[in-house]
Amino acid sequence: MASRFEEGERVLCFHGPLLYEARCHKVNSEGEVDLYLIHYNGWSQKWDEWIPETRILKFNEANLKKQSELIKHHKKAQNRGKNKKGRTPETVESEETFAAKVGLVSIQIELPDQLKLALLDDWDLITQQKHLLKLPAANSVASIVAEFRVYSTHVDREDSDRDQVLEGVLGYFSRLLGMQLLYKFERPQYADTLEDNKGVSVCELYGVEHLLRLFVRIGEHLAFTELDNNAISVLQKYIHQLLAFIELHREKYLLTDNYVIATPDYLRRAGV
């Protein structure tokens, strides 16, 4: 199936709450979700990023009008924040009303508190204490999702919506891991792992820690899809069920033994 956007195409991209003019530099069509390397016009190349098509719009009159509406609303919201008495002017519509008007979708993925703490520990161990996760993971992303599927069938039995969401989670994980889910310190290990496990999906190699990092970011990738309210509810339902399953089995999945101290040679290669 052809990609929706082409290399060199002029586009509008969401970055935060606003739309910016940009250019599509590259297209990565491998796997389930197309990703696009975007350069924002007038911005430094350090802001170039790989994003899914859910954050990209065609450069046309209708979407330029949407860009203008977003800018106007954003300015009104800023002015409202400066209102010392805290009153909302009657002419300023709510975020929900505006989102509905311009067709935006808000997808909130809330992690349980214990998993938020696990992510903080993960950040500290990797970036501050210079540990690495053992790879391949003892409990891979693929195995965790498979175990959740078996577990949930005792409740919902066969459920095509659940299976579709879980396949989507695996697809997003395999596409986003190398681009957005790694700390800089982990990149040499990532390159080594791919070299040593050619032909093996990263869903079979990485574990729960990187899966949780995905769920922190997946909302922003889905935020501007054309999903209706029912589809959004289905997504949230099964992602939250999967998170609850991970929390329930955190003593199995989230172990300090998953980490090892990086060797002096690795520290040198990582530029530490």
Side-chain angles (χ1 to χ4, degrees):
M1 183 175 179
S3 298
R4 186 178 176 188
F5 302 96
E6 300 177 352
E7 292 185 7
E9 183 175 350
R10 189 182 186 187
V11 294
L12 292 170
C13 295
F14 283 102
H15 193 284
L18 300 177
L19 278 167
Y20 296 89
E21 186 176 338
R23 185 79 61 177
C24 176
H25 278 191
K26 292 182 181 179
V27 180
N28 186 335
S29 300
E30 299 176 4
E32 308 233 352
V33 181
D34 286 347
L35 289 175
Y36 302 85
L37 180 60
I38 293 297
H39 173 73
Y40 297 95
N41 292 2
W43 294 30
S44 168
Q45 285 187 347
K46 71 179 182 179
W47 293 102
D48 290 4
E49 60 177 340
W50 288 94
I51 63 175
E53 67 179 38
T54 53
R55 281 178 54 191
I56 310 174
L57 297 178
K58 290 288 186 180
F59 191 92
N60 56 34
E61 186 175 345
N63 290 329
L64 285 170
K65 182 179 179 181
K66 181 177 288 189
Q67 180 191 39
S68 179
E69 290 175 342
L70 285 167
I71 292 171
K72 289 178 182 178
H73 177 73
H74 187 63
K75 288 180 178 179
K76 286 182 179 180
Q78 286 182 320
N79 291 334
R80 182 179 59 195
K82 295 176 183 178
N83 187 333
K84 294 182 179 180
K85 295 183 179 180
R87 292 196 298 265
T88 301
E90 293 181 2
T91 55
V92 179
E93 58 197 352
S94 69
E95 297 286 342
E96 293 79 8
T97 301
F98 178 78
K101 181 181 288 187
V102 299
L104 300 183
V105 177
S106 177
I107 299 180
Q108 301 295 326
I109 303 299
E110 183 67 25
L111 270 67
D113 289 342
Q114 291 296 324
L115 300 188
K116 290 178 183 177
L117 292 174
L119 275 174
L120 288 173
D121 288 341
D122 176 58
W123 172 85
D124 180 68
L125 284 164
I126 299 293
T127 68
Q128 305 302 304
Q129 300 187 43
K130 306 306 179 189
H131 285 52
L132 291 168
L133 284 155
K134 297 176 183 176
L135 298 176
N139 293 287
S140 69
V141 169
S143 68
I144 292 169
V145 169
E147 289 171 10
F148 168 70
R149 183 182 278 115
V150 172
Y151 171 85
S152 60
T153 55
H154 294 302
V155 178
D156 293 328
R157 297 187 180 278
E158 295 301 321
D159 188 328
S160 59
D161 286 340
R162 177 198 60 225
D163 293 341
Q164 188 174 4
V165 169
L166 295 180
E167 288 305 313
V169 166
L170 293 174
Y172 268 102
F173 185 85
S174 63
R175 296 301 307 281
L176 295 179
L177 174 67
M179 297 174 183
Q180 298 190 18
L181 305 183
L182 297 173
Y183 294 117
K184 182 179 179 181
F185 184 66
E186 296 175 299
R187 292 203 167 275
Q189 182 194 38
Y190 174 72
D192 292 344
T193 301
L194 293 188
E195 178 65 25
D196 295 340
N197 297 273
K198 291 180 179 179
V200 180
S201 168
V202 292
C203 294
E204 301 282 354
L205 300 172
Y206 282 77
V208 67
E209 295 83 5
H210 290 85
L211 181 59
L212 294 181
R213 296 183 204 175
L214 171 69
F215 289 133
V216 170
R217 306 202 61 170
I218 199 169
E220 69 189 54
H221 289 279
L222 298 172
F224 302 103
T225 61
E226 298 178 357
L227 298 172
D228 58 27
N229 289 336
N230 182 62
I232 294 170
S233 296
V234 170
L235 271 171
Q236 291 173 314
K237 171 186 175 181
Y238 289 114
I239 290 177
H240 285 140
Q241 283 186 8
L242 175 55
L243 286 167
F245 173 80
I246 293 171
E247 183 183 37
L248 181 65
H249 297 88
R250 63 183 182 276
E251 292 185 359
K252 173 182 178 181
Y253 297 139
L254 292 162
L255 304 174
T256 55
D257 286 346
N258 291 349
Y259 297 85
V260 293
I261 299 174
T263 65
D265 179 64
Y266 185 89
L267 292 174
R268 177 185 57 77
R269 292 172 57 210
V272 177

